[in-house]
């Protein structure tokens, strides 16, 4: 009988995968441009802005925002291992890091123009407490952008799930869009917009295999070693046979929240 992997918010030890996370989740220049364009449209132009990168991990978006925009960026994460890596990677910009939970932010009321959450909402143990904290620290005319894969939107990563079907089982257990909407609406936010953004995750199956081999993703960490090795071997065999590399395209959803007046 096959056992199915079980996801639980707060159950992943990100300190363990911090050394290899950046390599597994790096963005190409093209993909970075895609996200910078979206993020930039929510950054006020009339004043120096403060952006909260909540669940910043190793700081890939913290760095992107600090380098592209004249903003102060505050990266918050629970994992000290991820934060140490983030701090060592940042080379320029007005950047600060803090170890804290999403449910208890070490920030003053109304200090942030924008809050960015990338692939992190499923790790938050108490989503309503997190949403209340964001409502407290985000300015009345600010915004919260929640980027991720949701449990009711699993057609976004067809190539990845084709080779790692167990990863789809894990992803089906993360919060759905209605789950997230409920938490944020109860905290005083409204859904201002919803966007599905295509991104080129990898240039080929070979690049995908190089990344998944690092096993720095929640959906891979929760697979048994035997299942991971079997699926990884199938992907590497397919990559070896790929004569004309084709990009791996994923669609990532973004929920855009604004505080109620």
């Amino acid at each position: 009988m096959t056992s199915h992997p079980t996801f639980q918010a707060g159950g992943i030890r990100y300190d363990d995968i911090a050394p290899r996370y950046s390599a597994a989740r790096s963005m190409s220049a093209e993909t970075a441009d895609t996200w910078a364009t979206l993020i930039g449209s929510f950054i006020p132009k009339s004043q120096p802005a403060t952006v909260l990168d909540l669940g910043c991990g190793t700081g890939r978006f913290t760095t992107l925002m600090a380098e592209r925009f004249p903003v102060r960026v505050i990266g918050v994460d629970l994992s000290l291992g991820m934060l140490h890596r983030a701090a060592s990677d940042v080379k320029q910009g007005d950047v600060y890091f803090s170890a804290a939970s999403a449910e208890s932010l070490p920030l003053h009321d109304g200090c942030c123009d924008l809050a960015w959450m990338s692939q992190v909402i499923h790790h938050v143990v108490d989503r309503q407490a997190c949403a209340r904290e964001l409502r407290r620290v985000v300015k009345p005319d600010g915004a919260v952008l929640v980027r991720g894969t949701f449990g009711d939107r699993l057609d976004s990563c067809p190539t990845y799930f084709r080779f790692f079907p167990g990863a789809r089982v894990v992803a089906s257990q993360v919060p759905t869009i209605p789950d997230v909407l409920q938490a944020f609406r109860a905290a005083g936010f409204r859904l201002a917009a919803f966007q599905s953004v295509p991104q080129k995750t990898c240039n080929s199956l070979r690049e995908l295999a190089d990344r998944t081999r690092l096993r720095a993703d929640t959906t891979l960490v929760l697979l048994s070693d035997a299942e991971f090795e079997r699926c990884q071997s199938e992907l590497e065999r397919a990559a070896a046979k790929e004569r004309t590399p084709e990009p791996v395209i994923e669609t990532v959803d973004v929920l855009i929240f604004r505080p109620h007046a």
Side-chain angles (χ1 to χ4, degrees), residues 107-241:
L107 300 173
H108 295 298
D109 294 358
C111 65
C112 296
D113 297 277
L114 173 65
W116 170 258
M117 298 182 71
S118 174
Q119 299 289 9
V120 71
I121 192 66
H122 53 286
H123 291 300
V124 176
V125 176
D126 188 339
R127 289 189 297 276
Q128 290 196 0
C130 168
R132 287 194 297 269
E133 276 291 85
L134 287 169
R135 183 65 182 85
R136 179 181 67 81
V137 304
V138 171
K139 294 178 180 179
D141 59 349
V144 178
L145 274 58
V146 181
R147 171 188 185 270
T149 300
F150 300 95
D152 53 341
R153 299 274 294 178
L154 297 183
D155 294 329
S156 57
C157 309
T159 305
Y160 180 63
F161 288 147
R162 172 159 58 92
F163 288 102
F164 294 93
R168 186 184 177 99
V169 174
V170 175
S172 70
Q173 301 171 50
V174 306
T176 63
I177 287 177
D179 292 335
V180 178
L181 291 179
Q182 180 182 30
F184 275 78
R185 285 170 172 162
F189 286 98
R190 62 182 175 84
L191 182 67
F194 171 84
Q195 293 189 32
S196 292
V197 181
Q199 69 169 30
K200 183 169 69 173
T201 302
C202 300
N203 290 309
S204 64
L205 287 181
R206 187 178 299 277
E207 182 182 350
L208 178 63
D210 289 342
R211 290 176 180 241
T212 56
R213 192 180 302 122
L214 297 171
R215 205 174 179 181
D217 184 279
T218 297
T219 59
L220 298 183
V221 169
L222 291 175
L223 301 181
S224 69
D225 291 344
E227 181 176 1
F228 171 75
E229 290 165 7
R230 182 177 69 255
C231 294
Q232 180 68 24
S233 295
E234 291 177 4
L235 172 56
E236 297 204 12
R237 284 194 293 271
K241 295 177 181 178

Side-chain angles (χ1 to χ4, degrees), residues 84-96:
H84 288 154
R85 181 60 185 264
S88 67
D89 285 349
V90 171
K91 305 303 181 187
Q92 66 182 69
D94 190 4
V95 179
Y96 303 85

